[in-house]
């Protein structure tokens, strides 16, 4: 059985169209909060709703800017408690350079003043 040039062109066009359509499915989030919310919905869906993910990602914005989103989200996903502000805060405190509590405080002022 011979295929006609039209049938071959049609199959080629359809396969190219399907490949392009699947590549253009979901646009990549652009802002740090949108990226965090997208990852949170995928990683911590058992603990957090989409609204809780968005609220939590806005709550720990400083950690997102410091590129610590993956660590914070992994901590939130491990927590047995539900997705609350307390969980997000504890997870944000215990990652990266902040995990050890930060630098020591300044010494007390001298009594000579």
């Amino acid at each position: 059985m011979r295929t006609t040039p039209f049938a071959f062109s049609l199959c080629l066009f359809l396969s190219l169209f399907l490949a392009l359509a699947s590549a253009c499915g979901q646009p990549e989030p652009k802002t740090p909060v949108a990226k965090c919310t997208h990852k949170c919905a995928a990683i911590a869906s058992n603990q957090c709703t989409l609204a809780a993910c968005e609220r939590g990602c806005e709550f720990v914005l400083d950690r997102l800017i410091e590129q610590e989103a993956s660590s914070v989200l992994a901590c939130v996903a491990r927590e047995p408690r539900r997705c609350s502000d307390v969980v997000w805060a504890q997870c944000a405190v215990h990652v990266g350079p902040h995990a050890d509590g930060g630098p020591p405080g300044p010494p007390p002022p001298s009594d000579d003043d």
Side-chain angles (χ1 to χ4, degrees):
M1 178 181 199
R2 289 185 63 170
T3 59
T4 63
F6 176 74
F8 178 74
S9 298
L10 182 64
C11 288
L12 183 64
F13 174 75
L14 286 177
S15 62
L16 181 63
F17 176 75
L18 289 174
L20 288 174
S22 65
C24 298
Q26 291 287 335
E28 185 67 29
K30 296 188 187 316
T31 65
V33 173
K35 289 178 185 178
C36 174
T37 303
H38 182 73
K39 287 181 185 177
C40 176
I43 294 172
S45 61
N46 291 339
Q47 287 82 0
C48 303
T49 63
L50 188 60
C53 282
E54 187 172 354
R55 178 177 168 83
C57 288
E58 289 178 3
F59 190 67
V60 296
L61 184 60
D62 55 336
R63 297 299 180 264
L64 302 182
I65 301 303
E66 294 171 351
Q67 306 297 321
E68 295 289 342
S70 298
S71 302
V72 173
L73 289 173
C75 175
V76 169
R78 282 191 310 265
E79 282 292 318
R81 296 178 290 168
R82 299 301 290 169
C83 189
S84 67
D85 290 348
V86 173
V87 171
W88 282 94
Q90 285 179 343
C91 289
V93 168
H94 296 293
V95 297
H98 311 283
D100 64 355
S110 65
D111 293 335
D112 294 340
D113 288 339

